[in-house]
Amino acid sequence: MTEQYVWDLQEADETHVAVVGGKGAHLGGLSRVEGLRVPGGFCVTTDAFRRIMAAAPSTGDLLDRLSRVDPDDREAIRTLSAQIRRIIEGTAIPEDLAAAITRGLARFGERAAYAVRSSATAEDLPTASFAGQQDTYLNVVGPTAVLRHVSRCWASLFTERAVAYRRRNGIDHRAVHMAVVVQRMVVPRAAGVLFTADPVTGNRKVATVDAGFGLGEALVSGLVNPDVFTVRHGEVVARTIAAKRCAVQALPGGGTREVAIDVPRQEQPALTDAQVVRLVRLGRRIEAHFGRPQDIEWCLVDEDFRIVQSRPITTLFPLPESGDQENHVYVSVGHGQMMTDPMKPLGLSLWRLTAMVPMHEAGGRLFVDVSRRLASPASRAGLLDVMGRGDPLTRDALETVLDRGDFVPSLPDAGPGGPPVGGVSAPLETDPAVVNELIERSRVSLAALERDIRTKSGPALFDFLLEAFEEHKRVLGDPLNLQAIMAGMEATWWLNDKLGEWLGEKNAADTLTLSAPGNVTSEMGLALLDVADVIRPHPEVVEFLRGVGDVEDGAFLGGLAECAGGVEARDAIEAYLDRYGMRCVGEIDITRPRWRERPGTLVPVILDHVRNFEPGAAERRFAHGREKARKKEQEVLARLRTLPDGDRKAAETKRMVDRVRTFIGYREYPKYGIVSRYFVYKQALLAEAERLVRAHVLPEKEDLFYLTFQEFRDAVCAQEVDDRLIRQRKDAFRSFHALTPPRVLTSDGEAITGAYRRDDVPAGALTGLPVSAGTVEGRARVILDMAGADLAAGDILVTTFTDPSWSPLFVGIAGLVTEVGGLMTHGAVIAREYGLPAVVGVERATRLIRDGQRIRVHGTDGYVEILS
């Protein structure tokens, strides 16, 4: 049968991607939208492509080799992909297949001109557009030329750029097939692109139109700058008319050529405002049909618009569902929690179920809606103050929204805005017994959870966990807990503000908080130095650990016992894991592997400590920090006493120093408690997943991570899982990695980063937030995965974010630079504890600073200089 090889465009819709590819499916869907004109044509289906590949068996070996090539080996990719293309283009099209394509042409006119366009199955998808990755040929005339260009389209699945794109997006070359769209050529007066959302700001209420004369190829290839029109609420609100010196036109016999445009016409707009508005109305209809913002290619033929392509705008950050048409302002949770990576569905739902405030999901990240707080002047001031102290970029982004004056409605002070963020701190005595009591409460609650959960399984486990989540929130929401956290933070702010005012000293609290007692996160970093002390005297153990590599589980711990000194080493690592094994990078996502589950993650850090430190380093470092803080306190108090009213100022400062050293260490404990409880929840849920695997309900226990808590409960009750849903969730999770979460997101879709608004930073320096005083110069080590750390003494760690799990690295570095963070986030707190100069919130630091470059970190003034 030949019918399977050719489908009329109007036979296809969005459900037929596997048959006609992404472009063909979208064009088929477009042809069904009332009021749209889509040039007629047909699709050569993926069955035809598979038949050609089967006729060229030598491509199989080349594909195997291509899948094994290092993604950075551009030369190997270029060579192998070129070989595959040559084989495909050289494979004769079977007679019955060629006849089917020719019959398709006969329906529209054999001698007519056609556009022959690639349409891959992994193209124009909601999660990856593949724009420009395969080829399009314009003004192809005659059956022979069409068949030749169909072969070229098949081969374009293996252009170097398409192969590299698939590798970056984790898509198997063999899983993608190529259809080809053959469409009647239209000869337009003007052509271009319509974005139904602003591709730069993300604003869904703003559309932009790029337009030029002739075929759209002139714009796509960069031959000319387009006219750009901005449309909002059905009106052109901005326009830029370019000098369009040339255009691409179709030749009568086939092919295209570049032609000059008469000088008087060059600066005429390619479209009138009325045409632009009409085009945007069509775009809104297309957007409604596909259910998301679109990147649309259009042509103006006479006075009619023809739509020749529409694909999702995949770079836009998705919007949280609000359930209403009101304006909303969302603040990123990930930037506050120092974890901006996407989370899997179970991680998202668990965090939402245990969070103290309602949260909204978008793009695999969580956001808090602060619209009501911004609307009331009283709560607005508190919110902006706390945000500004933590992360000036978030405050600036919120102020950017407020400055517009019309997005956030203004409510009276008595309105439902709620109290200022953080509330008003009631008096709390500066007494270490308060901290001890809070830690004991947390321990008792955790012990009860561990004891009671052991007997729970099936639906009863989920009922128990819902009760446990309420206890989780009760512990966190304990007024004494909140007071203790705020006491340390407010004392820090007081010291920085007052000592800056009285002594002209910046960030004095950074030194005064060195080696503060009771900080479970800084203790965790120092404790790994003690583990290194146990291992260092045993060369056989060190050699064994060097050979561990990327071990998925703790199997290597058993092998340690075979080495001389291995039993002591194993016991030291086990003891460390007993205390800190529930931690990991990205620990707010319960689905992330914990150190107890993957202890090999710690091995590179232990080996660095063995190499870079002398025995007893942990105790010496802590004692040195404590002594430095004591001397700073004496110095500050002595200077204050020489000032007018100095005795009062010194007495107030002494009270605040005592207060900050009493409470600032506790700032880290609630997170430790959360993560400890999370590990208990996770073990119970994984045990339940293993029962589903044994019952052949789940293929793998980790598949549960792609279900929400409620969906997993339903699966346990019904003993049934929707495999298709899990596949969709896995695809979506992969795609979320390509998105950059904004600090602030509006319901219009605007992603707002914020700016520092500073003029005290040297030209060429990278601006950030000063969070730990001092200046240090050294080699930048750009590290995105803690397990791949290879640090030498004096190195400066540059990374996207650091949560508490990075603390073991902090003891071996000289300074810190991160893209995300605030004054009181974990990385900043620990940097101050260890006396590391640190600058956080440096936009694109891991891309602007190259690994191995020499840099200077100005932790007092908040900027980074690149020296080499």
Side-chain angles (χ1 to χ4, degrees), residues 601-612:
T601 304
L602 294 171
V603 168
V605 189
I606 293 171
L607 291 173
D608 281 348
H609 290 352
V610 168
R611 184 175 70 247
N612 295 331

Side-chain angles (χ1 to χ4, degrees), residues 39-63:
F42 59 89
C43 292
V44 182
T45 67
T46 52
D47 281 340
F49 172 78
R50 277 188 281 267
R51 186 167 170 191
I52 291 296
M53 294 297 284
S58 57
T59 58
D61 176 58
L62 294 171
L63 282 172

Side-chain angles (χ1 to χ4, degrees), residues 743-812:
R743 283 175 165 80
V744 171
L745 182 66
T746 73
S747 50
D748 279 359
E750 279 192 281
I752 307 171
T753 300
Y756 282 108
R757 321 271 179 203
R758 290 173 55 185
D759 55 11
D760 60 341
V761 174
L766 308 180
T767 307
L769 178 65
V771 296
S772 186
T775 301
V776 67
E777 186 178 312
R779 179 180 67 159
R781 294 310 314 270
V782 180
I783 297 173
L784 303 180
D785 181 357
M786 178 180 156
D790 180 16
L791 295 162
D795 282 349
I796 296 169
L797 173 62
V798 181
T799 189
T800 47
F801 58 79
T802 60
D803 59 11
S805 69
W806 287 73
S807 300
L809 292 186
F810 281 27
V811 299

Side-chain angles (χ1 to χ4, degrees), residues 705-719:
F705 298 156
Y706 296 95
L707 300 172
T708 66
F709 180 82
Q710 184 60 48
E711 288 166 348
F712 186 35
R713 179 181 187 161
D714 293 344
V716 168
C717 292
Q719 290 291 292

